[in-house]
């Protein structure tokens, strides 16, 4: 197993600069990472920078709150794909989920998935805002809506990925959908532990320790 193949190198701060995106792409190239995960305004820039590499570009949609209209999410997703995105990370509508309006939550996810066709769709369920039953329900909806991944967290709420939540998701969906652990993962040791319990992708933001570890693997 090559751990770099699991990494979505993530830079989603609203203050992220063009220079930081350029550096992110350069690091992703050097370390042969699976993908970068960025806000949609930088997809065109990243596409230009990553020409000739196997590094995928994942664009966020409805980020970080998830409360945008379905039509807005569809436009953001399809436009990002036109500009070069090869994966989409959309945020679930937490308000509708909390309202137990599960039909609308399902329709929101299904509509985006239909619009982007065979492009992988990851749905961020923001586990720190959910109790166990809500995590189970959100996971079931994502699976039923034909999403490709369930992503644990945006990294902008009260907490990030936890082993407990990943185990709940895994038990709920079995092998019908993949899991991305994201939020608060700062090193390869933690990444490996999540992979060992069934995660297929890791969302991790650049830091000095992680940079050094990834470069050693390159």
């Amino acid at each position: 197993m090559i751990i770099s193949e699991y990494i979505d190198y993530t830079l989603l701060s609203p203050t992220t600069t063009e220079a930081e995106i350029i550096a992110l792409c350069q690091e992703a190239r050097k370390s042969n990472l699976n993908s970068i995960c960025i806000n949609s305004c930088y997809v065109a820039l990243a596409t230009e920078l990553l020409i000739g590499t196997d590094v995928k570009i994942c664009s966020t949609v409805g980020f970080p709150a998830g409360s945008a209209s379905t039509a807005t999410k569809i436009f953001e997703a399809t436009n990002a794909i036109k500009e070069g995105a090869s994966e989409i990370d959309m945020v679930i509508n937490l308000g509708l989920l909390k309202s137990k309006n599960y039909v609308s939550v399902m329709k929101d996810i299904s509509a985006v998935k239909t619009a982007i066709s065979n492009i992988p769709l990851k749905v961020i369920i923001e586990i720190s805002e959910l109790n166990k039953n809500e995590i189970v329900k959100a996971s079931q909806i994502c699976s039923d809506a034909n999403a490709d991944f369930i992503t644990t967290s945006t990294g902008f709420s009260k907490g990030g990925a936890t082993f407990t939540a990943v185990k709940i998701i895994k038990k709920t969906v079995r092998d019908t959908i993949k899991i991305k652990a994201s939020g608060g993962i700062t090193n390869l040791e933690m990444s490996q532990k999540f992979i060992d319990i069934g995660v297929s992708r890791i969302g991790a933001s650049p830091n000095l320790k992680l940079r050094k570890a990834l470069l050693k693997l390159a």
Side-chain angles (χ1 to χ4, degrees):
M1 182 193 74
I2 303 172
I3 197 167
S4 59
E5 294 178 352
Y6 287 77
I7 302 292
D8 284 359
Y9 216 30
T10 304
L11 196 54
L12 297 170
S13 169
T15 60
T16 297
T17 65
E18 290 182 343
E20 288 172 324
I21 293 295
I22 292 169
L24 185 82
C25 291
Q26 290 173 339
E27 290 179 34
R29 291 178 70 131
K30 289 178 182 177
S31 300
N32 299 312
L33 301 184
N34 186 293
S35 71
I36 61 168
C37 187
I38 56 176
N39 288 315
S40 58
C41 66
Y42 284 129
V43 168
L45 173 60
T47 298
E48 184 178 341
L49 294 167
L50 292 171
I51 289 174
T53 77
D54 293 327
V55 180
K56 295 187 285 291
I57 299 170
C58 178
S59 174
T60 57
V61 166
F63 193 87
S67 53
S69 68
T70 300
T72 300
K73 289 178 178 178
I74 289 172
F75 176 82
E76 189 176 13
T78 55
N79 190 66
I81 292 165
K82 287 177 184 176
E83 293 186 342
S86 47
E87 297 183 344
I88 297 295
D89 256 26
M90 76 170 270
V91 185
I92 200 169
N93 192 313
L94 286 168
L96 292 177
L97 184 68
K98 290 283 188 179
S99 300
K100 298 185 179 181
N101 188 347
Y102 303 133
V103 172
S104 292
V105 177
M106 169 86 77
K107 287 181 177 178
D108 186 49
I109 299 169
S110 295
V112 174
K113 180 57 185 173
T114 297
I116 67 174
S117 187
N118 62 335
I119 297 293
L121 176 64
K122 305 173 195 156
V123 180
I124 307 169
I125 65 172
E126 200 68 282
I127 59 169
S128 64
E129 299 292 338
L130 307 178
N131 60 39
K132 179 180 178 180
N133 290 337
E134 289 169 333
I135 291 173
V136 169
K137 190 62 182 180
S139 300
Q140 291 170 338
I141 291 171
C142 289
S143 180
D144 292 342
N146 296 317
D148 300 280
F149 283 81
I150 295 169
T151 301
T152 59
S153 321
T154 62
F156 286 81
S157 190
K158 293 177 290 189
T162 68
F163 299 118
T164 298
V166 167
K167 289 175 181 177
I168 292 170
I169 296 168
K170 186 69 176 178
K171 183 177 180 180
T172 302
V173 301
R174 304 293 180 181
D175 294 321
T176 63
I177 187 170
K178 297 176 182 177
I179 303 170
K180 173 181 171 180
S182 182
I185 301 174
T186 58
N187 56 63
L188 293 185
E189 292 78 14
M190 188 184 300
S191 299
Q192 185 64 62
K193 289 178 181 178
F194 275 108
I195 292 167
D196 289 343
I197 62 172
V199 162
S200 298
R201 199 76 68 83
I202 299 290
S205 298
N207 63 69
L208 185 59
K209 183 178 181 180
L210 183 60
R211 284 186 174 110
K212 288 181 177 179
L214 289 171
L215 285 173
K216 285 181 181 179
L217 296 176

